Amino acid sequence: MNQKKIIAIIVRILLYAFVIGFFVYAGVNGYFSPIFEQSDTFWVLVGQHLNLVIISSFLAIVIALPLAVLFTRPRFRKYEWIASNVANLAQTVPSLAVLALAIGILGVGFKPAVFALFIYSVLPIFRNAVAGFNSINPDLIDAGKGMGMKAGQIFWRVEVPNAAYAIIGGLRTAVVLNIGTAALAYYIGGGGLGVWIMTGIELFDNAYLISGAIPVTLMAIGFDYLLRGVGYVISPKSTRQTADTATTT
Amino acid sequence: MISFKHVSKSYTGTEKAVNDVNFEVEQGEIVIFLGPSGCGKTTLLRMVNRLETITEGSILINGQDIGELNEIELRRKIGYVIQSNGLFPNMNIEENVTIVPDLLGWDKKKKHKRYKELMQLIGLDPGEYRKRFPNELSGGQQQRIGVVRALAADPPVMLMDEPFGALDPLIREKIQDEFLQIQREVKKTILFVSHDIDEAIKMADKIVLMRDGEIMQYGTPSDILIHPKNEYVSQFIGRDRAIKHLSLRTIAQLQEEIGLVEIDQSIVDSKQVNVHENLKDTLAMLLNQEADQVIVHDDNDEVQGAITIDRVQRYLHLEMRQKPAQSGGKEKVME
């Protein structure tokens, strides 16, 4: 127990040291200079990146959550595997292929990029929401019914609060995934920080590469923490424990 | 108060989960549906608040056919307790307890007042538990909360589906006693599902013994123990039915029927027992040979006499030979 703790602390210190060291190294070598020298472009790219992520995630939520609710109703539960398989299938296609396919339908630019990211986000959101609703003890619903709660009251006051943590977990996965994948939007003219990353790779220019990659990473971490915070706020602690043991790595 | 009239339930085609069930439940009684799993007792219970549909026949509460009532309103007027307690993990104890009052639109003050009353009923500190969540409570406490939650809106009828089945034996007995105490105060009409014959004997005013969706016997615990109607019933209640029956009788009742024996003053080694002790425990005490003489005293510590195995046996003999009519209950049931 104690030994484990010590190892954990050592690992953490090493990690922090590495991160700080990396930033110092990058700073000394002027790898962040594009951010300051072309700050107008930088903020445009950040804006594009955020737009890609937020719009595609929003669309995914709007589609995936109602579907998850629908396929966890007793009447439709038996069809849930169909929806899951379709979503799974979409996930197995490589992200670049999705982008390429999206060009075929929507042409080049912002829209196909949003579309591809949307396709990519639907599955984790849908899957986690379905798992969240399915994890609710049927006795709770029986008790609610038996006490005279209406279907809507059972849904909003019992099912949603108890599934909330798992649902937010799905959002987290989707959004973080999305932020990384959005870097590929550059290939189809979708803009975003991918522009600098890919330029950096193509020109062997570390300054562009790092000025693009670090903000993407920070964005992913930031959103992860933000959504985790949201999850903590909206779900009471007693409903978190089971979900936590399932999702922590 | 509650009448079951030719109630049947079939899920598919010919197989009947509940088959032509007829009986009446009086106001303020605890009626236990007893039987092995799959005998239809839970289905029968769940038909009363219409969680299960009734295929044929009808159930009447105070003369009103429940099929004609709005099911949401019906359920809000019937307390419902299940084995796994069904407390909502996302709500704290106060919110859990006051769900039905909340559904009925009580104002905040009234709900809080009711919450405090209910917690006092089960001996838990209202302030301490208010903001706590169900998973922070022990199994026994959770089940107590489950029971008072069902009592919250003061429903005349309670349905309890193996409410104490998941608890360990020690806690179960304690909560059973507590529940009987509460029932003496609130006097609800209670339908209760159990597969435990001892629980049924202890708690029930009447027992509905079921098999394969049919009633095998309906009567008081002592009626069923003394006069099992058929082979199945006597098998179900067990060979020790006479001993079980003794748990329903006290020394006081024996004294009234056949009197106690004189105390032998020459015996020094003796043990005291209260006159309200049940005969099963008294017999166990006698068989343990803990003392040469067992002396009975009443609540004021006045000595009434002594009790012997022989006395208990004679009393049992008398009881077992009584005619079934005397125990009552059965005639009005079978129509």
Side-chain angles (χ1 to χ4, degrees), chain A residues 52 55-56 59 95-120 178 181-182 184-191:
Chain A
L52 283 171
I55 294 174
S56 61
L59 288 175
S95 27
L96 266 176
V98 176
L99 287 171
L101 285 171
I103 298 176
I105 305 165
L106 294 162
V108 184
F110 186 73
K111 267 195 243 166
V114 167
F115 176 75
L117 292 173
F118 154 75
I119 294 287
Y120 236 58
N178 220 334
T181 315
L184 296 174
Y186 158 73
Y187 284 123
I188 56 169

Side-chain angles (χ1 to χ4, degrees), chain B residues 193-212:
Chain B
V193 164
S194 178
H195 61 255
D196 177 357
I197 172 85
D198 293 312
E199 180 172 67
I201 292 169
K202 178 175 177 180
M203 311 278 291
D205 293 309
K206 302 258 180 67
I207 292 174
V208 175
L209 215 160
M210 293 181 72
R211 181 178 74 163
D212 297 339

Side-chain angles (χ1 to χ4, degrees), chain A residues 137 139-151 153 156-158 161-162 236-239 241, chain B residues 46 49 51 72 75-76 78 80 82 84-91 99-100 102-103 133 135-136 149:
Chain A
N137 185 344
D139 284 343
L140 295 182
I141 293 165
D142 186 57
K145 248 185 171 174
M147 286 189 295
M149 289 170 103
K150 294 174 188 158
Q153 288 167 326
W156 288 110
R157 296 172 68 169
V158 181
N162 286 305
K237 74 169 184 249
S238 49
T239 63
Q241 281 159 358
Chain B
R46 287 164 62 90
N49 64 358
L51 286 172
I72 298 292
R75 288 172 190 161
R76 287 176 186 176
I78 297 177
Y80 185 51
I82 57 178
S84 67
N85 73 53
L87 297 180
F88 298 137
N90 57 311
M91 298 184 192
I99 284 174
V100 181
D102 188 56
L103 293 172
F133 285 89
N135 66 339
E136 298 172 296
R149 180 172 73 170

Side-chain angles (χ1 to χ4, degrees), chain A residues 18 88 209:
Chain A
F18 176 75
N88 269 334
L209 177 62

Side-chain angles (χ1 to χ4, degrees), chain A residues 117-129:
Chain A
L117 292 173
F118 154 75
I119 294 287
Y120 236 58
S121 313
V122 166
L123 176 83
I125 298 176
F126 176 78
R127 268 286 202 66
N128 268 45

